[in-house]
Amino acid sequence: MTATTDPAAVAATDTESRLDARPRRGGGTGTPTLGVNHLWKVFGPAEHKLIGTPDVDLARDELRRKTGSMIAIRDVSFQVWPGEVFVVMGLSGSGKSTLVRCITRLIEPTAGEVLLDGDDIRKANAEKLRELRRRRFSMVFQHFGLLPHRRVLDNVAYPLEIRGEEKAARYKRAHEMIELVGLKGHADSYPDQLSGGMQQRVGLARALAVDPEVMLFDEPFSALDPLIRRDMQNEVMRLHREVGKTMVFITHDLAEALRLGDHIVIMRDGKVVQSGRPEELVGAPADDYVADFVRDVPKANVLTLRWVMRPVMPDDALDGPEFPATTIIRRSLHAAIETDKPLRVVEDGRLIGVVDRWHILAAIAGGEREA
């Protein structure tokens, strides 16, 4: 099993910068923007009879033979915090695309909660659900879904038109979003006059036009060639820096997940097999399935000094170079080479540990986390 993009791509400087800049999670304080609690989706005649029975533990083929049903989402829970890029990753059939559609009730969940700022979306009536989709959620799909007979300007303004906004106001907003995504000068073009990457930028501009609280991306770049795909990943990172939206990103590509994600969930057969920050998945895979995914990832490009640091000992020399705990190991290599002293690891101005040279060298060589 391998991801479709070479995981070594995470060694690029822009990737390291992205990982260094990850926001902190809520840590149990405040309210997450999005909360998914014990979510299930069962397709088939046994949809509302299956949960809570021993049949849920049957293998897929056996379950289908016995009940005519299939479990696409199996007791999934997670939280997405404000301003976070949350990545859901898995191979085809893992349930990730069904999950993102359940979040917005494009597919109706069988059981569980989907909370937006604490309010259960599953309890919303049809009118409130329409308003949520028009004003607080936006989606970017793999297939751009642009209206071929309308200009770029009208495509971007379309969700505002549906919302009933005046023409002058929606065109003003659309022009701003077109410029934001780097398409200035193309407002009067038609979709078939644009490249695939440019069409996806139109999709991004349209999603941003409604100023959503949460942006949902369902494998938006998987149909693009590798160079354009990388450009679009860069664009998402740039837009996130500039507008700070909370984003949920669905992908089957490990390199993409590591480049974009502040927090990553890996799914298999409808279940979450591991959830954590990129360095947690790479440094301590939960099982052989995750280990297979991350096997070829250069650990020094993902693991942080926090991951390899040790406690401060009484005889440690504490005048060595100082680095933030979020520093990617690769970025401390030059300092480890130039000094025999432990690197000091700080957070909020406080010394929280040290890293010896051999920790850095072990990570560069691909070693695992030490006890």
Side-chain angles (χ1 to χ4, degrees), residues 253-307:
D253 187 282
L254 176 61
E256 187 165 75
L258 293 173
R259 292 194 75 210
L260 299 178
D262 301 315
H263 194 88
I264 300 172
V265 158
I266 296 183
M267 294 186 66
R268 182 184 189 187
D269 295 335
K271 297 185 292 186
V272 172
V273 294
Q274 188 166 359
S275 175
R277 294 163 72 89
E279 61 265 32
E280 294 170 335
L281 272 61
V282 171
D287 59 17
D288 290 342
Y289 181 77
V290 179
D292 198 14
F293 260 118
V294 304
R295 178 170 290 119
D296 296 326
V297 175
K299 291 180 172 58
N301 297 338
V302 179
L303 299 185
T304 60
L305 293 183
R306 183 197 304 278
W307 188 257

Side-chain angles (χ1 to χ4, degrees), residues 29-34 80-82 116-118:
T29 62
T31 302
T33 297
L34 186 67
V80 182
W81 293 86
L116 181 62
D117 292 328

